[in-house]
Amino acid sequence: MNAAIRAVTRAAIFEGWRVWGVYRGWEGLIMGDIKEFNSASVSNTIQRGGTILKTARSEEFRTPEGRAKAYENIKKFGIDALVVIGGNGSLAGAQALASEYDVPVIGLPGTIDNDLYGTDSTIGYDTALNTIMECVDKIRDTANSHDRIFFVEVMGRDAGFLTQNSAIAAGAEAAIIPEDRTDIDQLASFIGRGIRKSKNSSIVLVSEKDGGAMHYAERVRLEYPQYNVKVSILGHLQRGGSPTAFDRILASRLGVASIEALKEGQRNIMVGIKNDQIVYVPISRAIKMDKPIDKELINVLSILSI
Ligand code: F6P
């Protein structure tokens, strides 16, 4: 996210525009927690995790009164356009504001969940994916040495992109994801493949939704007591750390493109990336349309886990 803030700031200053940093997202816009940024404000930030602007979830912004207060500050600070970096919630806020007030809004996809429609990747997703892969590599040492089945819980809210792809990257035996609920019982099919017959340990990655790893571990303990089962919940360590080169480059490109979009007179769009090309997606589509998981990924994992 810092790489995106840096890119937006510097690309705007490059155009001769003034830049204001809004702290704590919509909450800060309501409170007037806003400071002018110059090029040095974003120095030494590209390698840092988290966000220098801080972030918050704002209940007040969900109300028309909250958005009216935010608009007051937009006028007070002489802000002509907003670049909003965030996931579904942030972009839904952008959409609500833009439908009520005449302010151009450009969205940048910033979430580890990768669940925004119209972009192949979101800012932060690749970093989280790499973190999960490294954690699973380490967990594998215990799984292997002690002959255990590990259920590793992965973030992603309602989406299974992190789970499915980190399972492939870490060589896990299975991924249990919300998008594959058509498979009546993913656990039974995993056990049914006789995983312990051919291997002395296994790792299953489980999306956090609907009880996550605990739920499946409990089931195995009850239904298959012969297995030695452990749970590992990766939690917020998935959301921190220095970003990967891929994420830094993506954030830099999207940030610069957001200023290009404003120059072109675009409004209420999210800037995304498709087949390595910058694309504009209406924010309404980015947040409402379902982004499916490619069935090929499910197939790859299942073939490679025999
Ligand atoms: O949307 C990003 C995300 O990290 C999800 O993957 C996760 O479900 C959620 O945020 C966690 O939010 P919080 O930090 O508020 O518990």
Side-chain angles (χ1 to χ4, degrees), residues 57 111-113 115 155-158 162 208 236 239:
R57 305 208 191 275
T111 167
I112 62 165
D113 302 339
D115 58 349
M155 275 186 172
R157 209 180 288 273
D158 299 328
L162 279 175
E208 63 181 338
H236 287 82
R239 281 218 318 224

Side-chain angles (χ1 to χ4, degrees), residues 91 95 105-109 116-121 254 261 266-274 277-289:
L91 297 189
Q95 167 82 1
V105 179
I106 304 292
L108 292 183
L116 290 164
Y117 179 85
T119 186
D120 288 341
S121 193
L254 296 184
Q266 296 282 348
R267 49 201 294 153
N268 309 339
I269 51 114
M270 180 190 83
V271 183
I273 192 122
K274 275 266 167 200
Q277 298 296 312
I278 297 289
V279 290
Y280 299 153
V281 191
I283 290 180
S284 54
R285 281 174 73 80
I287 56 178
K288 287 211 187 83
M289 301 278 289

